[in-house]
Amino acid sequence: EALGRAARAAQGLANRYVGDLLIVGHGITVAGAMLGLVPDAERTMYGFCALVKVARYGDEWRLELNGDTSHVTNPQGEVRYG
């Protein structure tokens, strides 16, 4: 349910605003937002402080980062969703 709500919220924001969006949240909300914009994206496990980057190219959204933790010195673990 939370995954679907986050997906719909991200779609609504993307439809309403032009340009970049920054969506910050916990694993399930960020995962849902990512799936709302890139529905066929591979589901993954996210570590704490993981980055997900979805970029708009015209009418298409592309996943550019999916759970990247290269900026974290000592990763704490992973959280599975969906």
Side-chain angles (χ1 to χ4, degrees):
E1 188 176 316
L3 202 62
R5 283 195 312 267
R8 288 187 299 278
Q11 290 166 345
L13 289 169
N15 290 333
R16 184 170 182 173
Y17 297 102
V18 177
D20 296 335
L21 296 172
L22 174 63
I23 299 172
V24 178
H26 293 279
I28 195 77
T29 54
V30 173
M34 182 262 306
L35 288 174
L37 300 174
V38 187
D40 58 345
E42 178 182 338
R43 292 180 179 220
T44 189
M45 292 177 69
Y46 294 131
F48 295 111
C49 299
L51 300 176
V52 176
K53 180 181 179 183
V54 180
R56 186 187 322 224
Y57 295 91
D59 292 334
E60 178 183 333
W61 290 91
R62 295 184 199 154
L63 186 61
E64 294 188 348
L65 289 176
N66 193 4
D68 177 48
T69 56
S70 62
H71 61 286
V72 179
T73 314
N74 192 10
Q76 296 291 315
E78 296 179 331
V79 177
R80 179 179 291 276
Y81 76 92

